[in-house]
Amino acid sequence: MALAALRREGRRFAPMISPHPITALRSSPLAPSLEDEGPIGVRYISTQVVRNRMKSVKNIQKITKAMKMVAASKLRAIQTKAENSRGLWQPFTALLGDLPSADVKKNVVVTISSDKGLCGGINSTSVKISKGLHKLNSGPEKETKYVILGEKAKAQLIRDSKKDIELIITELQKNPLNYTQVSVLADEILKNVEYDALRIVFNKFHSVVSFVPTVSTVLSPEIVEREAESGGKLGDLDSYEVEGGETKGEILQNLAEFQFSCVMFNAVLENACSEQGARMSAMDSSSRNAGDMLDRLTLTYNRTRQASITTELIEIISGASALEG
């Protein structure tokens, strides 16, 4: 009886306080009831909704922790290969040099990215540098093309540079990376593109939380010979004696192809290390954010449950008081 009186009082004062009348709420079958709405003017949330939200956040936290552990395991396996591969391309840099400022007509930008996401901004960084190189090496008498390795770079570059994409290779890390696999890809690239300079864009691994966007340049044999004739570091090539029946042009051709495959092998491994390191950091940050959100939801749940208990007690006491009066 007392509860009925309270409801009547609530209906009498609700149109004055609420921006919408109670009858309008009752007319819709999907509209919340007066009990679900809670006190007028106070934001109210069901404890069931909070419990469901807490459960989903806990599940997400479990997934992110598992992904961090998987990324750490993969990183340890790839990091050793990446460190060993650095000894392959360094002799070429000492012999042929790395000339990013070489002025050539046909440039090919080889952008290396990952096939999967959830690894921070390493792919966006590579794409931005690739676009910058494309813009820098474009001109009326110059031609710049893209060779893309990885789904993420493909998704970004295909939107505004589709006509400049010469070759797309994906699912590179479906199998464990080795030199044979990468050398086949390098041979495929050399067969399908005409180039004066290959500019390989990748992320060089430093630590789990640090990677450096890097550009390595591989010149064609003709450009190497031209640069050697003009002097500079490449001019030291003439000081070496050539044994066998091969000419200087044939040796430069072989060196350029082998240099490209070695640089590609190192670049793919370094980028894979950077990807797993960035994924570890991203998943660790996500797990901590999920923990913080869980703490806030737990506080909200306790406050909501306490408010509900307090409301019920007030109703019981008010009803008892009305009966006694």
Side-chain angles (χ1 to χ4, degrees):
M1 188 174 179
L3 291 176
L6 284 173
R7 289 195 183 96
R8 283 197 300 272
E9 291 298 316
R11 291 192 184 96
R12 188 159 65 88
F13 289 106
M16 302 178 188
I17 302 173
S18 175
H20 47 271
I22 296 298
T23 54
L25 287 173
R26 293 293 186 184
S27 63
S28 174
L30 299 177
S33 63
L34 191 63
E35 289 81 0
D36 292 337
E37 244 194 7
I40 300 296
V42 178
R43 186 176 180 183
Y44 178 77
I45 184 170
S46 169
T47 55
Q48 182 63 38
V49 173
V50 179
R51 278 200 302 268
N52 292 339
R53 181 64 173 165
M54 289 169 65
K55 185 177 179 181
S56 66
V57 171
K58 284 180 181 177
N59 291 336
I60 291 172
Q61 189 179 39
K62 289 178 183 177
I63 293 171
T64 54
K65 285 182 177 179
M67 291 184 68
K68 178 187 174 183
M69 293 175 63
V70 171
S73 176
K74 290 182 177 179
L75 176 62
R76 282 193 295 269
I78 301 173
Q79 187 175 357
T80 304
K81 289 184 179 180
E83 290 173 353
N84 294 335
S85 69
R86 291 171 185 169
L88 287 174
W89 62 268
Q90 288 171 350
F92 288 104
T93 304
L95 176 64
L96 302 177
D98 190 349
L99 301 173
S101 60
D103 187 18
V104 296
K105 293 183 178 180
K106 294 181 180 180
N107 290 277
V108 176
V109 180
V110 183
T111 306
I112 300 176
S113 68
S114 64
D115 289 316
K116 299 178 182 179
L118 300 177
C119 53
I122 65 170
N123 297 315
S124 300
T125 304
S126 297
V127 170
K128 286 179 182 177
I129 293 176
S130 300
K131 288 181 177 179
L133 286 173
H134 186 279
K135 185 176 181 180
L136 185 65
N137 293 289
S138 297
E141 296 182 356
K142 294 183 178 180
E143 182 184 17
T144 305
K145 296 290 184 181
Y146 286 114
V147 171
I148 301 173
L149 276 71
E151 285 283 353
K152 293 303 175 181
K154 169 190 169 185
Q156 294 186 49
L157 289 173
I158 205 168
R159 288 197 294 264
D160 52 0
S161 305
K162 188 175 182 179
K163 60 182 178 62
D164 294 326
I165 296 175
E166 194 76 18
L167 186 64
I168 297 175
I169 300 171
T170 57
E171 296 186 356
L172 185 61
Q173 299 183 41
K174 192 174 183 180
N175 299 315
L177 293 169
N178 54 59
Y179 179 75
T180 304
Q181 178 187 358
V182 176
S183 62
V184 171
L185 292 177
D187 188 52
E188 186 71 18
I189 293 171
L190 294 176
K191 286 180 180 177
N192 286 277
V193 299
E194 294 182 2
Y195 72 97
D196 291 332
L198 292 160
R199 305 186 189 276
I200 302 139
V201 181
F202 63 98
N203 294 283
K204 188 177 179 64
F205 178 78
H206 275 199
S207 67
V208 175
V209 295
S210 175
F211 57 88
V212 179
T214 307
V215 180
S216 292
T217 305
V218 178
L219 302 176
S220 67
E222 294 79 11
I223 303 300
V224 170
E225 195 166 357
R226 187 191 73 185
E227 294 291 331
E229 291 174 356
S230 62
K233 190 172 183 178
L234 293 179
D236 296 338
L237 284 174
D238 293 330
S239 62
Y240 292 92
E241 294 183 3
V242 178
E243 295 182 358
E246 295 181 345
T247 62
K248 183 179 179 180
E250 292 174 343
I251 291 174
L252 289 176
Q253 178 72 32
N254 294 333
L255 281 174
E257 293 177 0
F258 189 47
Q259 179 190 14
F260 179 56
S261 63
C262 292
V263 171
M264 276 286 293
F265 181 54
N266 176 253
V268 168
L269 289 173
E270 294 278 1
N271 199 80
C273 281
S274 301
E275 176 193 348
Q276 299 302 335
R279 184 169 288 117
M280 278 183 61
S281 299
M283 292 303 101
D284 180 61
S285 177
S286 299
S287 299
R288 283 189 276 105
N289 290 339
D292 294 341
M293 184 179 291
L294 200 56
D295 292 339
R296 291 196 299 271
L297 287 171
T298 303
L299 183 61
T300 303
Y301 174 77
N302 292 334
R303 284 178 175 174
T304 304
R305 187 166 58 87
Q306 188 63 43
S308 177
I309 294 170
T310 304
T311 303
E312 291 177 3
L313 288 173
I314 290 172
E315 289 180 353
I316 293 170
I317 294 170
S318 300
S321 299
L323 289 173
E324 288 177 1

